Amino acid sequence: MDWLTGVRSFSKVVEFGSFTRAADEEGVSASAVSKRIDWLEQQLGLTLFIRTTRQVNLTEAGEHFLPKASLWLAQFECLTDHGQALNQAPSGSLKIASTLAVGSTILMPNIASFLAKYPKLKIHLNVIAPGAHPDLTHDLVITRYYEAFDSASHKGSRLIDYQMQIFGAPHYLKQHEPIKSLDDLRQHKMLLSSYYHKLGGIILENGDVFQFDNYNFVSDQLDAMLTAAVQGLGLVFIAPSYVKRELDQGLLIPVLPEVKSETKQLWAYYPKTNYTPYKTQLFIEHLKNHLNSTK
């Protein structure tokens, strides 16, 4: 047994919440993973997991050990990636997390083209809740910029600036009086994500705050939100990139196009190490190039 094997298995058990699933990922038996964790706990003099027949949870000691283990593994992977960088042949896995909206509209087209370019790499794309902060279990977390997020364990790279606008279905708008001002807009139901439902409003480009007092549908499912907008359940305040397909098909059109949110930013967050993994660098560069070319 060695430290690298033990810590890797620890990280996989945390990621999957199961010894069996961690074992499947590593291509070994569940008993082998259990022995690795037992060895690691003996070396550390700590109990890392509370194990029951149905679930596996971290102890308080395990919670404290996790960020240290994640950073240590990242440092080791950097050594491997440095060799790959010299050979220009990246391989292995890249674990990425994002909200459903970012994943389906922004990441998926770029993941397809990225894997076509680097076929030896594997992508694991996981979902985080809107408003959730980046964590150390992923190589990359693609999310909006959070001014309040100040982590000594993370680096960040700004990908693109964007603004949100208002959109509605043409048949819905024909059924109502013309919308000429924000005051007119307050008479219409809004379709909201859970994040903006909790926030209660949005800061506009001019510094004013538009309150989401009048709404009738809340969902974190982007497809559900867009279907509701197309069906005419109400209006949606959203980034244009999320509704490009609907705009191209004429299913949605801008409402008060001069009204925009304050400028927001999409960022890539990744663990802070002395050397950023080569595969991480490649994906960030690939994403930036595409996003800036389609502005």
Side-chain angles (χ1 to χ4, degrees):
M1 190 67 63
D2 60 83
W3 280 95
L4 179 59
T5 301
V7 174
R8 272 182 170 164
S9 290
F10 167 78
S11 178
K12 291 298 181 184
V13 173
V14 173
E15 179 182 353
F16 293 103
S18 162
F19 278 73
T20 300
R21 291 182 62 193
D24 289 342
E25 176 70 13
E26 294 196 276
V28 298
S29 66
S31 62
V33 171
S34 182
K35 289 177 181 178
R36 292 174 182 180
I37 300 302
D38 288 342
W39 180 89
L40 186 62
E41 290 178 329
Q42 289 174 12
Q43 300 303 309
L44 294 170
L46 300 171
T47 299
L48 300 174
F49 293 106
I50 299 172
R51 315 180 201 186
T52 67
T53 55
R54 293 188 177 182
Q55 59 184 3
V56 178
N57 295 310
L58 282 171
T59 62
E60 184 176 353
E63 293 281 1
H64 286 297
F65 180 65
L66 178 59
K68 298 180 179 65
S70 298
L71 285 174
W72 187 79
L73 284 175
Q75 293 279 9
F76 180 83
E77 289 183 0
C78 282
L79 296 176
T80 304
D81 286 335
H82 183 65
Q84 292 182 0
L86 295 176
N87 294 324
Q88 297 294 308
S91 61
S93 297
L94 185 63
K95 292 185 290 185
I96 304 173
S98 71
T99 61
L100 280 172
V102 170
S104 60
T105 61
I106 294 177
L107 292 186
M108 282 311 301
N110 289 285
I111 286 174
S113 56
F114 183 74
L115 289 178
K117 192 174 182 180
Y118 304 106
K120 291 184 179 180
L121 277 171
K122 300 179 180 65
I123 299 288
H124 295 254
L125 180 59
N126 297 320
V127 175
I128 58 171
H133 283 169
D135 59 69
L136 289 169
T137 63
H138 293 95
D139 300 305
L140 271 173
V141 178
I142 312 297
T143 184
R144 65 171 62 88
Y145 173 72
Y146 294 112
E147 187 174 350
F149 178 65
D150 183 17
S151 170
S153 302
H154 282 88
K155 292 181 180 180
S157 179
R158 186 171 70 178
L159 298 174
I160 195 171
D161 294 345
Y162 67 94
Q163 291 176 285
M164 298 169 66
Q165 295 176 248
I166 307 159
F167 302 94
H171 68 88
Y172 170 87
L173 296 171
K174 286 180 181 179
Q175 295 170 3
H176 297 82
E177 294 294 322
I179 301 174
K180 299 180 179 180
S181 68
L182 278 176
D183 286 337
D184 295 337
L185 191 64
R186 298 180 199 281
Q187 307 304 313
H188 294 261
K189 300 291 185 183
M190 299 299 297
L191 313 172
L192 303 176
S193 67
S194 298
Y195 176 79
Y196 281 105
H197 176 235
K198 178 186 269 188
L199 207 59
I202 189 169
I203 300 174
L204 301 179
E205 190 174 35
N206 62 4
D208 292 342
V209 178
F210 181 76
Q211 300 290 340
F212 293 131
D213 297 323
N214 193 11
Y215 62 90
N216 63 347
F217 186 74
V218 178
S219 177
D220 285 332
Q221 297 286 339
L222 178 63
D223 287 344
M225 184 90 70
L226 297 185
T227 297
V230 169
Q231 290 177 342
L233 294 187
L235 304 177
V236 61
F237 212 136
I238 198 168
S241 57
Y242 291 174
V243 293
K244 184 179 184 305
R245 177 186 60 191
E246 287 72 18
L247 291 174
D248 291 343
Q249 296 177 0
L251 300 175
L252 293 177
I253 59 175
V255 177
L256 298 178
E258 71 280 4
V259 175
K260 300 179 181 180
S261 74
E262 64 176 348
T263 300
K264 297 178 176 294
Q265 301 171 358
L266 187 69
W267 276 58
Y269 290 98
Y270 46 98
K272 186 176 183 179
T273 58
N274 292 333
Y275 176 81
T276 303
Y278 182 50
K279 57 192 175 185
T280 300
Q281 296 177 46
L282 286 175
F283 190 80
I284 292 174
E285 181 182 356
H286 184 85
L287 197 55
K288 282 184 176 180
N289 288 341
H290 175 79
L291 292 177
N292 285 292
S293 68
T294 56
K295 275 186 177 181

